[in-house]
Amino acid sequence: MTGNIFSEILNYLQNNWSTLLLLTVEHIGMVICGLLLALIVGIPFGILAARSEKAGSVILALANVIQVFPSLALLALLMVFFGIGFTSVVIGLFLYSLLPIIRNTYVGLKEVDKSITEAGKGVGMTAFQLLVKVQIPLALSFILSGIRIAAIIAIGVATLAPFIGGEGLGKEIYSGINLRDPVKIYVSAVLAALIAILADFLLGKAQKRARVD
Amino acid sequence: MIEFRQVDKYYGNFHVLQNINLTISEGEVVVIIGPSGSGKSTLLRCINHLEKISSGELIVDNINVHDRKTNLNVLRQEIGMVFQHFNLYPHMTVLENITLAPMKVRKIAREEAQKTARYYLEKVGLAHKADAYPNELSGGQQQRVAIARGLTMQPKIMLFDEPTSALDPEMIGEVLEVMKSLAREGMTMVVVTHEMGFAKEVADRVVFMDHGQVVEESEPKAFFESPKEERARSFLSRLLNH
């Protein structure tokens, strides 16, 4: 029986590899768009949060609120506002990626030893120069760890995209459920998991490289 | 060069600096000593505005440090500072550590900044460590790099905040040697330290602080041989008995 499923899976892969490849690319594309938006918005907010206690508590609380929304419910809500398809999915992924990126930027910057920045401050470097040249490089490993968490969450959430008219590997899972076709489900689920593992591995490596002892 | 006029500073209710009047002229080497918590480091850190004073006036290089209109970054360029824990940038090589401020603050071209950096590295005896990272160096070497980093900005004043307190005993000498040669070359230096030998040898003046006050100011010979104030006497006798 297991041998049977094995050959069925191989067969399926042979016949559908081009569709699967397209879905994989779409899946990764949605995740990257969402993550990039989250980086553009999240890092400045993380910096702001680290600079001012007041702003920090508000920003982190808001990002937390977004995170507690169930993913399917959040996507459904977004669909109401932004319509069916790609845009809603990317906004959903963006929102889900915000918290880990903001929080890790915040924590990373807070972890930088104040006395190290003082050395720069003492010779007349501006706050911005210190941020770019000293604080962000020293916080980079934390920030990358935030991106790593965000990427893994986003790859998972992106499988829900077809519910609101998006593309990606979720489409194949969804159709597998409808057709009661376990092979379809196995293949697409394993592919989504592999993408997540790969992202985890690569970002983990980058994180290690960025670490400063 | 540096003038404190009736300077007071509070941390909340704690009166850290009490009515400080102190003048330091160009080329002078002043050593500040006193028990821990006496306000020595705070006094030093006011000079480049890493600490704010609560009242009084502080003039450094003809600039009123605590005037709102003062551009602090312009003032700070002229003041080098060496910290107890070196505070090197851990993600940068020695050369990058030294050239960062000259390039960013003084807008000096990389090549020239590196040339100056190498000159001062040579001076502190670490030319061969230009491409090393701080964590590959001993404490004494890190502190000498920190001194070279300060000097490369070609400051008018160098501040030293307990530069040898975090060092293993066998490394203190190498750092003091660098500081002594700097003093002989006429750099204006304000040094907070527990190294009495250094004070005796190179200081033009010793300032003794206790409980936020300048208790005694005198030449090192006079201070160590016959301190005028009772508090200074008991401080010195405690040092000798250890």
Side-chain angles (χ1 to χ4, degrees):
Chain A
M1 193 61 197
T2 40
N4 213 350
I5 278 224
F6 231 38
S7 65
E8 270 183 56
I9 288 176
L10 275 180
N11 223 339
Y12 178 80
L13 280 175
Q14 248 166 9
N15 296 329
N16 296 285
W17 67 269
S18 61
T19 320
L20 286 169
L21 189 67
L22 181 67
L23 291 174
T24 304
V25 170
E26 282 168 353
H27 200 100
I28 296 174
M30 293 186 302
V31 169
I32 289 179
C33 287
L35 271 181
L36 278 180
L37 277 178
L39 284 179
I40 294 169
V41 176
I43 290 182
F45 272 114
I47 292 169
L48 192 63
R51 300 224 134 218
S52 130
E53 287 292 324
K54 257 192 203 156
S57 57
V58 174
I59 290 169
L60 289 170
L62 280 178
N64 262 313
V65 167
I66 297 172
Q67 206 74 15
V68 297
F69 261 86
S71 39
L72 192 55
L74 183 71
L75 290 178
L77 265 177
L78 289 170
M79 188 185 71
V80 173
F81 287 104
F82 299 99
I84 272 180
F86 183 78
T87 315
S88 294
V89 178
V90 168
I91 293 176
L93 298 179
F94 152 70
L95 290 174
Y96 260 100
S97 308
L98 266 183
L99 178 66
I101 289 172
I102 293 177
R103 194 172 44 198
N104 278 51
T105 305
Y106 166 81
V107 172
L109 289 174
K110 282 277 178 192
E111 284 289 304
V112 175
D113 191 345
K114 274 224 169 61
S115 55
I116 289 173
T117 44
E118 213 164 53
K121 198 174 153 190
V123 287
M125 284 177 69
T126 62
F128 183 72
Q129 288 171 338
L130 279 170
L131 185 71
V132 172
K133 285 285 164 189
V134 179
Q135 289 164 300
I136 289 183
L138 289 175
L140 195 58
S141 146
F142 278 91
I143 297 173
L144 281 167
S145 140
I147 298 174
R148 187 177 172 189
I149 297 165
I152 292 160
I153 295 174
I155 290 165
V157 172
T159 55
L160 297 174
F163 285 101
I164 59 166
E167 305 290 326
L169 287 165
K171 221 171 161 183
E172 201 66 356
I173 300 176
Y174 195 48
S175 109
I177 294 171
N178 284 336
L179 297 171
R180 308 276 191 281
D181 181 348
V183 172
K184 245 181 187 234
I185 300 174
Y186 284 146
V187 170
S188 41
V190 167
L191 268 178
L194 280 178
I195 298 172
I197 291 169
L198 189 71
D200 185 47
F201 173 76
L202 291 177
L203 287 165
K205 260 196 148 169
Q207 194 190 332
K208 211 170 229 170
R209 191 180 278 192
R211 192 157 57 212
V212 180
D213 299 315
Chain B
M1 199 68 164
I2 305 172
E3 193 177 354
F4 287 80
R5 288 183 202 145
Q6 297 169 351
V7 168
D8 280 276
K9 177 174 174 60
Y10 294 85
Y11 284 128
N13 283 328
F14 181 49
H15 203 168
V16 224
L17 296 179
Q18 303 181 21
N19 191 26
I20 304 286
N21 289 290
L22 183 66
T23 306
I24 296 167
S25 356
E26 195 173 342
E28 211 179 1
V29 177
V30 172
V31 169
I32 304 175
I33 61 174
S36 356
S38 56
K40 315 181 291 281
S41 289
T42 308
L43 181 87
L44 194 73
R45 291 162 58 85
C46 286
I47 296 173
N48 61 356
H49 202 281
L50 286 178
E51 301 281 353
K52 281 191 185 118
I53 62 177
S54 306
S55 64
E57 259 188 337
L58 173 55
I59 313 288
V60 176
D61 191 21
N62 297 321
I63 297 175
N64 191 337
V65 181
H66 294 263
D67 187 333
R68 275 170 198 278
K69 279 174 269 172
T70 297
N71 183 344
L72 283 178
N73 290 340
V74 171
L75 170 78
R76 283 170 172 163
Q77 291 176 24
E78 308 300 335
I79 307 173
M81 185 157 192
V82 174
F83 300 85
Q84 182 176 358
H85 296 285
F86 335 131
N87 299 1
L88 296 178
Y89 310 122
H91 60 301
M92 292 183 182
T93 64
V94 164
L95 199 63
E96 288 165 346
N97 257 285
I98 301 178
T99 53
L100 181 67
M103 282 164 56
K104 291 286 156 190
V105 179
R106 290 223 194 261
K107 313 287 180 203
I108 290 170
R110 179 183 302 269
E111 300 243 313
E112 203 191 325
Q114 289 188 347
K115 219 171 98 187
T116 319
R118 286 185 196 281
Y119 169 78
Y120 284 109
L121 266 181
E122 179 81 42
K123 216 168 156 174
V124 300
L126 289 171
H128 58 296
K129 293 290 187 187
D131 298 316
Y133 282 89
N135 65 3
E136 296 162 355
L137 304 179
S138 71
Q141 290 173 329
Q142 288 191 48
Q143 194 60 300
R144 286 188 280 153
V145 169
I147 295 174
R149 178 171 69 174
L151 293 175
T152 304
M153 282 293 277
Q154 304 185 312
K156 295 179 181 159
I157 302 166
M158 282 290 281
L159 308 177
F160 293 83
D161 189 2
E162 303 204 24
T164 56
S165 300
L167 295 177
D168 291 335
E170 74 268 25
M171 293 174 182
I172 291 176
E174 61 191 69
V175 171
L176 291 180
E177 271 317 308
V178 170
M179 290 169 60
K180 282 176 199 164
S181 75
L182 200 56
R184 281 185 219 109
E185 284 165 25
M187 173 65 78
T188 308
M189 292 166 68
V190 187
V191 185
V192 171
T193 186
H194 296 290
E195 291 298 325
M196 299 305 148
F198 176 82
K200 276 180 204 162
E201 196 178 330
V202 294
D204 294 310
R205 197 148 40 108
V206 173
V207 172
F208 172 73
M209 285 185 74
D210 194 18
H211 291 109
Q213 295 163 325
V214 171
V215 177
E216 184 165 345
E217 256 185 85
S218 38
E219 284 185 6
K221 196 167 154 44
F223 178 80
F224 287 108
E225 282 170 13
S226 50
K228 294 188 284 268
E229 300 289 331
E230 173 53 36
R231 278 192 275 178
R233 267 199 294 275
S234 79
F235 174 74
L236 285 176
S237 75
R238 263 179 285 142
L239 275 186
L240 294 176
N241 292 334
H242 270 286

